[in-house]
Amino acid sequence: MPPSLATKAATLHDVAREAGVSLITASRALGNPSLVSEKTIERVQKAVEATGYIPNLLAGGLKSRRSLLVVGLVPAISVAQFLPTVQALTEALDAAGYQLILGQSGYDHAREEKLLNTMISRRPDGIVVTGLVHSPVARERLRRAGIPVVETWDLSDHPVDMLVGFSHLKVGSAIAGYFLGKGWQRLGIATGDDHRASVRREGFLATVGREVPTAVVPAPSSLALGRLALAELLEKDPATEAVYCSSDQLAQGVLVEAQARGLRIPQDLAVCGFGDADFAAHMQPSLTTVHVDGAAIGRLAAQLIVERCRGQTVAQPVVDVGFRIVERQSTGGPSVKTGPMPPKGS
Amino acid sequence: MPPSLATKAATLHDVAREAGVSLITASRALGNPSLVSEKTIERVQKAVEATGYIPNLLAGGLKSRRSLLVVGLVPAISVAQFLPTVQALTEALDAAGYQLILGQSGYDHAREEKLLNTMISRRPDGIVVTGLVHSPVARERLRRAGIPVVETWDLSDHPVDMLVGFSHLKVGSAIAGYFLGKGWQRLGIATGDDHRASVRREGFLATVGREVPTAVVPAPSSLALGRLALAELLEKDPATEAVYCSSDQLAQGVLVEAQARGLRIPQDLAVCGFGDADFAAHMQPSLTTVHVDGAAIGRLAAQLIVERCRGQTVAQPVVDVGFRIVERQSTGGPSVKTGPMPPKGS
DNA sequence: CTGTTAGCGCATTCAC
DNA sequence: GTGAATGCGCTAACAG
């Protein structure tokens, strides 16, 4: 940027002078027009154009104590699962005049604490966390800060503040029930090593009622790791009939590896994923999986934050959005060809 | 949040009193320790712990004119292609003490302008855009604002400021050259309708030297749209030998649809994608595609911004990171089984 | 409807 | 090394 062009930005002061009104009148004309006459508003708006004024939210936020900033924390941006949530969150917040600051908390408590501190120093009007806040120090700090917090994608008896999620224990249990209902006995689990996946596994085991061969892969999971996982499972039990995978990416890898080994799906091996990624319905064979409305989670989280910021009392601070098993060909579901589809909205 | 807990947050003033020093000494102890004696620093740090002080960056930024905020603009968060860039950008900025504000510019100029205005009002220390800034109004405004800007994932003779990218024209041309070198004559294109994909198509056509049957799908592309696209291409020319797809997601759909129709890959149909998504190497057959180092783009963009903010002159404000074609089985590349892989770092 | 006064919390500029 | 004063740009509270 040639420094010559970087002339000092116009301030509200300049606008007020240009419009021939006082500072505060200019401020109101822009931020609270109902208090100002139409004529003045017009003059101020003209002055804004003339000066090229762009408001300074830092200064405004300092006085008004509303930063119009919301912090969003994800374990890592590349975790596809949370993308619809982040996208919907960003959109819903934007519509209400808020922007999202993104942070990657990793899978590490120390980092989570440090990051939250940094973020709180921005005085955000709200914080949305994917998953629960695990570090006790961080939980306490958030409570102290008095900032509206929404934990998501999980359920807890003791949320920091508000929560939009569902029970991973029930998900695991539901999948196990589904497998048992199909009469499959020789089961396998391919799972990531993160907290939520572990809870799903617990639910799965609780319903099965005994140990099940398991391949654990480091998060974030991927197609490549799925291939590896199936290899491991077949080594443990070559006659495995059905595998539950903690993500659709993992399940895709399991399918690829199974096909590479000449196994027929689902006759020789049934597979169930988690997440209902956009490709799940359109693979060949299509993938049975667990659908969670990630976009709804984002929208609801935004709504809770905004309501709080407006001083409204939130009727339902803990929302369970539930989930549902979507049965497709990989577990012998309906073999109707799903076929090419129009693009999804958004 | 029980309002009872939301006691007024401690300010630097409180810390100073607690430590028995003046305001400014406390400020320096935290932000510029080299100017303060060790003893005082210790006392201030104790006072910070005692009061639970968390600095207010809004206030600091107002005076110092450094917000430590960088804006990142993507067309949409769900575009998988940019994920490694956003992730690396977030990480590299975080390491330098900056946070990222995320914005979704969509594929619409009016929205791009409005969003940039909103973002500039945060007085960010830098702006990173995926793609070029297209709206002339926005370009001018950015120049005026005097904020360091990095455009990415593209090349331009007239960047707003700095740029890290590569030539999509050359990518298209390279793929066409690769196809022609293989002796394939009956070609097809499955492409998204966004700007960069269109330029790749241009490059492809320029090298082929004639029109080629094309299926255009609305961005963002997906596996489902890829199936649809192949159906359309085969209708136009049932004897199509090779298809270039503007994304790996699209290519995956083309492969699925081809296999559903009993076509052998690559004997009956060769397929090349773009992006080298994490699944490309591990599909069956593995996918020939164009590799771009998205993470490097993010890291370099962060570096440029940070250098500028530190007042250093940037040696190379325009960086071409290049690309390379990765030949795999879908175009008859080496049939070594890529097999399961360890997780990628990051 | 409009204006005046007084800060928001901190960092820069000068003094000592 | 430390400190006192000043103001970043804006808005909340009170006047008129």
Side-chain angles (χ1 to χ4, degrees), chain A residues 15-233:
Chain A
V15 174
R17 226 188 17 210
E18 175 83 16
V21 298
S22 82
L23 193 65
I24 185 63
T25 303
S27 168
R28 288 200 271 247
L30 299 175
N32 221 338
S34 61
L35 299 178
V36 182
S37 78
E38 293 241 341
K39 252 176 135 169
T40 334
I41 292 179
E42 233 172 80
R43 269 165 57 205
V44 170
Q45 241 143 19
K46 278 222 178 88
V48 167
E49 307 235 340
T51 54
Y53 172 69
I54 297 185
N56 184 332
L57 278 182
L58 269 80
L62 186 56
K63 181 68 187 173
S64 69
R65 309 180 150 289
R66 293 179 315 132
S67 61
L68 296 178
L69 231 42
V70 172
V71 166
L73 252 45
V74 291
I77 290 168
S78 58
V79 179
Q81 196 157 106
F82 299 131
L83 255 37
T85 301
V86 176
Q87 169 141 355
L89 185 62
T90 308
E91 277 167 6
L93 287 176
D94 184 271
Y98 293 78
Q99 265 74 53
L100 189 73
I101 295 195
L102 205 58
Q104 303 190 86
S105 54
Y107 288 96
D108 170 18
H109 286 197
R111 168 135 191 75
E112 184 181 54
E113 277 176 39
K114 191 162 160 299
L115 190 62
L116 271 171
N117 249 20
T118 310
M119 291 307 191
I120 291 177
S121 69
R122 304 263 177 212
R123 298 298 185 264
D125 291 338
I127 298 182
V128 178
V129 185
T130 51
L132 304 176
V133 179
H134 290 109
S135 140
V137 180
R139 297 176 66 81
E140 183 53 26
R141 213 187 320 263
L142 281 175
R143 286 224 178 77
R144 276 273 160 80
I147 303 171
V149 175
V150 184
E151 293 169 289
T152 65
W153 277 89
D154 209 337
L155 234 44
S156 157
D157 290 334
H158 305 288
V160 170
D161 183 10
M162 299 176 284
L163 185 151
V164 183
F166 59 96
S167 164
H168 290 264
L169 206 65
K170 282 188 188 167
V171 169
S173 177
I175 297 171
Y178 172 72
F179 277 9
L180 295 178
K182 287 276 190 180
W184 295 318
Q185 290 296 329
R186 309 192 75 142
L187 310 178
I189 300 177
T191 182
D193 63 354
D194 61 282
H195 173 72
R196 285 175 296 281
S198 304
V199 173
R200 290 199 294 278
R201 174 168 178 252
E202 267 178 50
F204 188 96
L205 293 178
T207 294
V208 172
R210 55 180 159 78
E211 267 305 317
V212 167
T214 298
V216 178
V217 304
S221 58
S222 63
L223 193 158
L225 287 169
R227 297 188 68 168
L228 196 70
L230 181 59
E232 185 181 335
L233 287 177

Side-chain angles (χ1 to χ4, degrees), chain B residues 81-93:
Chain B
Q81 196 157 104
F82 299 131
L83 255 38
T85 301
V86 175
Q87 169 140 355
L89 185 63
T90 308
E91 276 167 7
L93 287 176

Side-chain angles (χ1 to χ4, degrees), chain B:
Chain B
M1 201 112 329
S4 54
L5 276 176
T7 113
K8 197 169 279 172
T11 74
L12 193 53
H13 192 112
D14 302 323
V15 174
R17 226 189 17 211
E18 174 84 18
V21 297
S22 81
L23 192 68
I24 183 59
T25 303
S27 168
R28 286 200 272 248
L30 299 175
N32 220 338
S34 61
L35 299 178
V36 181
S37 78
E38 293 240 343
K39 250 178 139 168
T40 342
I41 292 180
E42 232 172 83
R43 268 166 57 206
V44 169
Q45 241 143 19
K46 278 223 177 86
V48 166
E49 307 234 343
T51 55
Y53 171 69
I54 297 184
N56 184 333
L57 278 181
L58 270 86
L62 186 56
K63 183 70 185 171
S64 68
R65 310 181 147 289
R66 293 178 315 131
S67 61
L68 297 178
L69 231 40
V70 172
V71 166
L73 252 45
V74 290
I77 290 168
S78 58
V79 179
Q81 196 157 104
F82 299 131
L83 255 38
T85 301
V86 175
Q87 169 140 355
L89 185 63
T90 308
E91 276 167 7
L93 287 176
D94 184 89
Y98 293 78
Q99 265 73 52
L100 189 73
I101 295 195
L102 205 59
Q104 304 190 86
S105 55
Y107 288 96
D108 169 18
H109 286 196
R111 168 136 190 74
E112 184 181 53
E113 277 176 38
K114 191 162 159 296
L115 189 62
L116 272 171
N117 250 22
T118 311
M119 291 307 191
I120 291 177
S121 70
R122 304 259 176 215
R123 299 297 185 266
D125 290 339
I127 298 183
V128 178
V129 185
T130 51
L132 305 176
V133 179
H134 290 108
S135 140
V137 180
R139 297 175 66 81
E140 183 53 27
R141 214 190 317 268
L142 282 174
R143 287 223 178 75
R144 277 272 160 80
I147 303 171
V149 175
V150 184
E151 294 168 288
T152 65
W153 277 90
D154 209 338
L155 234 44
S156 157
D157 291 334
H158 306 288
V160 170
D161 182 10
M162 300 177 284
L163 185 150
V164 183
F166 59 96
S167 165
H168 290 263
L169 206 65
K170 282 188 187 165
V171 169
S173 177
I175 296 170
Y178 172 73
F179 277 10
L180 295 178
K182 288 276 191 179
W184 296 318
Q185 290 296 330
R186 308 192 74 142
L187 310 177
I189 300 178
T191 183
D193 64 353
D194 60 282
H195 173 73
R196 286 175 296 280
S198 305
V199 173
R200 291 199 292 278
R201 174 167 178 253
E202 267 178 50
F204 188 96
L205 293 178
T207 293
V208 173
R210 54 179 159 77
E211 266 305 318
V212 167
T214 298
V216 178
V217 304
S221 58
S222 63
L223 193 159
L225 287 168
R227 297 189 68 168
L228 195 70
L230 181 60
E232 185 180 336
L233 286 177
L234 290 179
E235 198 158 317
K236 289 183 175 168
D237 179 4
T240 303
E241 290 171 300
V243 175
Y244 150 64
C245 306
S246 70
S247 79
D248 285 354
Q249 283 75 19
L250 226 43
Q252 203 177 19
V254 165
L255 284 185
V256 168
E257 185 65 21
Q259 288 170 331
R261 287 164 181 255
L263 295 174
R264 291 165 309 160
I265 309 289
Q267 298 91 329
D268 300 329
L269 187 74
V271 178
C272 176
F274 173 80
D276 200 13
D278 57 2
F279 56 78
H282 305 281
M283 297 166 50
Q284 193 78 337
S286 59
L287 179 66
T288 295
T289 185
V290 176
H291 181 87
V292 174
D293 193 344
I297 293 179
R299 274 193 305 273
L300 283 166
Q303 190 185 323
L304 290 177
I305 295 278
V306 171
E307 279 177 7
R308 263 296 174 70
C309 291
R310 290 186 179 149
Q312 302 163 10
T313 45
V314 170
Q316 203 188 348
V318 173
V319 183
D320 185 341
V321 298
F323 62 90
R324 66 171 202 276
I325 294 181
V326 183
E327 186 177 49
R328 300 204 182 96
Q329 296 166 3
S330 69
T331 56
S335 70
V336 288
K337 176 160 178 288
T338 322
M341 264 190 23
K344 53 173 183 174
S346 82

